[in-house]
């Protein structure tokens, strides 16, 4: 399973959050976590997915895809 960071970036940008720092502040999660999500280094865990859904309205189904990362 892979994480669709592009969907997160698009949703954040639509709300005016154009940097990982702005996203982290709005979601209330550490900057480094968000940086790793948007660069594709890590996928968010359950707490991160909940923060994304609460903040940007993206469900885990929309963020997690069944295809392996290339």
């Amino acid at each position: 399973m892979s994480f669709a960071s592009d969907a997160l970036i698009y949703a954040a940008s639509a709300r005016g959050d154009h940097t990982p720092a702005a996203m982290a502040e709005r979601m209330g999660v550490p900057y480094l976590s968000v940086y790793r999500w948007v660069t594709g280094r890590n996928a968010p865990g359950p707490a991160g997915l909940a923060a994304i859904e609460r903040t940007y309205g993206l469900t885990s189904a929309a963020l997690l895809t069944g295809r392996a990362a290339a």
Side-chain angles (χ1 to χ4, degrees):
M1 217 173 272
S2 66
F3 175 68
S5 60
D6 55 335
L8 173 59
I9 294 167
Y10 180 80
S13 182
R15 297 272 314 258
D17 298 335
H18 300 290
T19 64
M23 294 165 64
E25 184 175 340
R26 186 181 299 263
M27 286 190 281
V29 298
Y31 162 80
L32 192 53
S33 296
V34 177
Y35 175 79
R36 288 177 178 159
W37 300 341
V38 299
T39 60
R41 293 179 186 214
N42 292 90
L49 289 171
I52 293 168
E53 184 171 2
R54 183 176 53 251
T55 306
Y56 298 113
L58 295 171
T59 64
S60 57
L63 293 170
L64 300 174
T65 62
R67 54 195 157 115

